[in-house]
Amino acid sequence: MSSIELTPSQKKILEALINLYRDEESAVKGEDIAQEVDRNPGTIRNQMQSLKALQLVEGVPGPKGGYKPTANAYDALELQEMDQAADVPFQHNGELIEGANVQEIDLTSVHHPELCRAEIRLQGSITDFHEGDSIVVGPTPLSKLRIAGTLDGKDDTNNTLILTIDDMQAPYGDAEPLH
């Protein structure tokens, strides 16, 4: 499948739709999406037309109607369908966040330990995260990597938290996890 270039606005609307759809498990009304992304419902309707043309969204008619993401929508956002996502524990200020759904962990500048950063892409809203918050991600399913860090910044368009890494552990072999 060729990659579809989405505008930041389309991307944001599609992510909002996917998140709301996941929470509701039924068609999502344009007004709800409008509220979520802080745009007026007319704008959402226009954007939905283009997202429908790209086959990323389908319209559901009737009183319980609205929009729902197609399988292509997940691909377009490079997300996996939720049932295949591995649950990676995610703690925000010491509290385990249920269903935070870590999509991707990207380690940047690993060869500068004093600059070591991690980018954590979440599925779901990141509005409740603020600079200086403490974040712990992991252990991840395969490598059992666990990263503890301080929130340094965030990228709302990509739903990404940027952490300064305070501590990183990946036990080797069957070593006991470090506490």
Side-chain angles (χ1 to χ4, degrees), residues 86-101:
D87 254 344
V88 176
F90 182 88
Q91 292 174 37
H92 177 217
N93 289 337
E95 196 178 322
L96 193 62
I97 307 292
E98 291 298 321
N101 229 301

Side-chain angles (χ1 to χ4, degrees), residues 132-168:
D133 287 0
S134 92
I135 306 281
V136 178
V137 185
T140 57
L142 291 173
S143 61
K144 303 281 178 259
L145 177 69
R146 185 175 169 281
I147 298 171
T150 309
L151 186 58
D152 201 29
K154 54 188 191 173
D155 174 348
D156 289 303
T157 5
N158 293 315
N159 257 30
T160 302
L161 302 174
I162 298 153
L163 308 186
T164 301
I165 298 175
D166 302 323
D167 185 31
M168 190 156 73

Side-chain angles (χ1 to χ4, degrees), residues 23-95:
D23 295 343
E24 308 290 320
E25 290 179 5
S26 64
V28 179
K29 300 216 170 302
E31 291 75 35
D32 296 345
I33 299 168
Q35 204 173 351
E36 185 78 12
V37 297
D38 207 16
R39 297 261 160 64
N40 72 50
T43 307
I44 302 298
R45 274 194 297 277
N46 295 340
Q47 291 280 14
M48 283 305 175
Q49 293 310 317
S50 63
L51 290 170
K52 269 194 237 177
L54 292 167
Q55 299 179 331
L56 300 177
V57 169
E58 52 191 75
V60 180
K64 287 234 183 297
Y67 302 99
K68 57 189 226 190
T70 64
N72 291 345
Y74 293 93
D75 291 341
L77 290 177
E78 296 168 44
L79 301 177
Q80 296 307 301
E81 291 278 9
M82 289 336 307
D83 18 333
Q84 295 156 12
D87 254 344
V88 176
F90 182 88
Q91 292 174 37
H92 177 217
N93 289 337
E95 196 178 322

Side-chain angles (χ1 to χ4, degrees), residues 112-139:
H112 290 294
E114 67 280 0
L115 293 175
C116 209
R117 285 202 149 91
E119 296 182 5
I120 314 291
R121 204 166 103 206
L122 293 185
Q123 182 156 357
S125 168
I126 59 171
T127 42
D128 299 337
F129 294 93
H130 306 286
E131 246 173 79
D133 287 0
S134 92
I135 306 281
V136 178
V137 185

